[in-house]
Amino acid sequence: MNVINHWVDGKPWEGVSGESTPVYNPATGQQSGSAPAGGQAEVDAAVTAASAAFAEWRYSSLTRRQNVMFAFRQLVADNRYDLAKQLTAEHGKTVDDAVGEVQRGLEVIEFACNIAHLVKGDYSEQVSTGVDTFTIRQPLGVVAGITPFNFPTMVPMWMYPIAIACGNTFVLKPSEKDPSTSLMVAEMLAEAGLPDGVFNVVHGGKPAVDALLHHREVKAVSFVGSTPIARYIYETGTKNGKRVQALGGAKNHMIVLPDADMDLAADAAVSAGYGSAGERCMAISVVVTVGDAADKLLPKVEQRIAELKVGPGMAEGAQMGPLVTSDHRNRVASYVDAGEAAGATVRVDGRGFSVAGSENGFFFGPTLFDNVTDDMSIYTDEIFGPVLSVVRTEHYEEAIRLINDNPYGNGTAVFTNDGGAARKFQNEIEVGMVGINVPIPVPLAFYSFGGWKESLFGDHAIYGPEGVHFYTRPKVIISRWPDPIHRGVDLGFPQHG
Ligand code: NAD
């Protein structure tokens, strides 16, 4: 049994609450470990350590911070398979997908290696006689990250490498469902030379989150998770005077126009709908077909689904693993029941799916619905499972309106060979990340990631240049050095002559 600890002031700590949360291996359905359920006392200890470390870390040189990031980058790269195997054991995704997750996190670390360039300010000489003006960006202090289960390694990496490189100190509250890799990276950061207290991990659920949201020393909170919790984090954090970025859930649509390359569109729909068993905030969950596109597309989608290999994430050749918990699998099944009862056509049914030799695993087979309408719960709600809904429309305008009326606005895509149609889409669509013949438009680390509407609360997207802005405050300095020519009393208003 894997016993997981908090990480406070540079070392593992079991905490004081005495409570714990079980951690499961979704492929076997067996408990594999337990994590302590932290609360006020654990958060107080972590924030105290982070606060003390900030006094020195904020004045560490940019070159020192870069050196730590370069060393950390190397350790993550060298250990990417160990990280991937551990996250597969707790999340369930295939190990190849997990390696990809680590890789995308690594790219943010690489971005943070360039911090000396990223925090440069502006300088204007002689804004008035003998007066210069310049800007600097300073760290905020102790900042917190609260992260979801679906990318247990990558999503925290969207936050702490940039926060720390900017000179802040960090308290991470990872998901209680797959908490282990946060401890592995804590050890790597220490080995990379990060001083004690700069990076801390507190496990737990709502009590730990609430303690962070109310702690006076926590200056900013980055959150990624579901929309109801994102809204709560944003409202509570800002009410307590904190800077907050809270990324929420999604319901991502992919439009397929009749002129699209149907093989490419079918590949994309299956990859983006069923990859990581649909447990991605950028997963496609609705395919909106226009005109006769559905009749050309759906047989190709069905054919690809039939060829998918579903199995334990560590199994050779597995393309899709189990869902994260049995509760979540039951929730996904109840949506499929509701969709069928509401009159949608079940073209592929993943209910009752089991994998030989892993009968107790939390598996759910790929599911495909046709003739879905916008009043059905399989359309309105984020299911977060391997369930793809097809909505048929007559006109492109109707397809665009569906997306723009949706309360979420994380990602979307259009599949077409018509440049004008693609341009109309990029101009008119009310979504933060847009793919043109690309189903999962996740920006690389030197851009920023963020949706619109109920997929993001706050003014800053995450990582990239916006990450640097989120984790720093700009200061403007207007300076004049005494010069004999300035002597003499002048009661007039400066005229910048
Ligand atoms: P979740 O909202 O249940 O949990 C996220 C975090 O909030 C966890 O650390 C959890 O411990 C904490 N939490 C849960 N309930 C809480 C409460 N009542 N009060 C305070 N804190 C609470 O999300 P999840 O199930 O772990 O992750 C899946 C969700 O995350 C999906 O909705 C998905 O779309 C979203 N997500 C969004 C993005 C994005 O970039 N927009 C990325 C990844 C995941």
Side-chain angles (χ1 to χ4, degrees), residues 20-60:
S20 64
T21 315
V23 178
Y24 291 91
N25 181 337
T28 62
Q30 302 298 310
Q31 186 178 347
S32 61
S34 72
Q40 188 70 51
E42 287 79 4
V43 165
D44 282 347
V47 176
T48 301
S51 216
F54 180 66
E56 188 207 335
W57 182 246
R58 65 159 297 179
Y59 292 114
S60 59

Side-chain angles (χ1 to χ4, degrees), residues 377-450:
S377 63
I378 49 169
Y379 178 80
T380 55
D381 295 6
E382 182 183 39
I383 302 173
F384 224 53
V387 180
L388 200 54
S389 293
V390 176
V391 178
R392 294 174 179 241
T393 61
E394 285 302 313
H395 306 292
Y396 189 26
E397 292 291 348
E398 192 187 342
I400 288 182
R401 195 168 53 245
L402 262 181
I403 298 177
N404 287 348
D405 285 349
N406 198 274
Y408 298 106
N410 217 34
T412 189
V414 66
F415 278 73
T416 181
N417 279 319
D418 179 338
R423 192 162 185 277
K424 177 181 171 69
F425 189 74
Q426 78 193 33
N427 284 340
E428 293 182 14
I429 213 71
E430 291 174 18
V431 172
M433 292 172 283
V434 177
I436 293 171
N437 297 313
V438 172
I440 304 189
V442 175
L444 286 185
F446 34 89
Y447 284 84
S448 299
F449 179 108

Side-chain angles (χ1 to χ4, degrees), residues 307-321:
E307 289 165 7
L308 281 182
K309 292 187 181 59
V310 182
M314 291 305 295
E316 184 76 29
Q319 293 169 292
M320 185 180 119

Side-chain angles (χ1 to χ4, degrees), residues 147-150 173 176 223-226 229 248-249 281 382 384 449:
T147 53
F149 80 83
N150 67 321
K173 205 304 286 170
E176 55 276 54
F223 172 86
V224 177
S226 60
I229 312 297
C281 64
E382 182 183 39
F384 224 53
F449 179 108

Side-chain angles (χ1 to χ4, degrees), residues 145-151 154-155 158 173-178 204-210 213 223-230 232-233 246-252 278-282 324 328 382 384 408 410 433 449-451 454-456 462:
I146 300 160
T147 53
F149 80 83
N150 67 321
F151 286 107
M154 178 188 77
V155 168
W158 287 358
K173 205 304 286 170
S175 170
E176 55 276 54
K177 297 190 179 90
D178 40 20
K206 185 170 168 54
V209 171
D210 284 341
L213 291 175
F223 172 86
V224 177
S226 60
T227 287
I229 312 297
Y232 168 74
I233 301 281
L247 282 74
K251 192 77 188 175
N252 305 313
E279 292 173 324
R280 288 179 181 149
C281 64
M282 290 293 275
V324 69
H328 187 49
E382 182 183 39
F384 224 53
Y408 298 106
N410 217 34
M433 292 172 283
F449 179 108
E454 295 195 2
S455 295
L456 172 65
I462 205 160

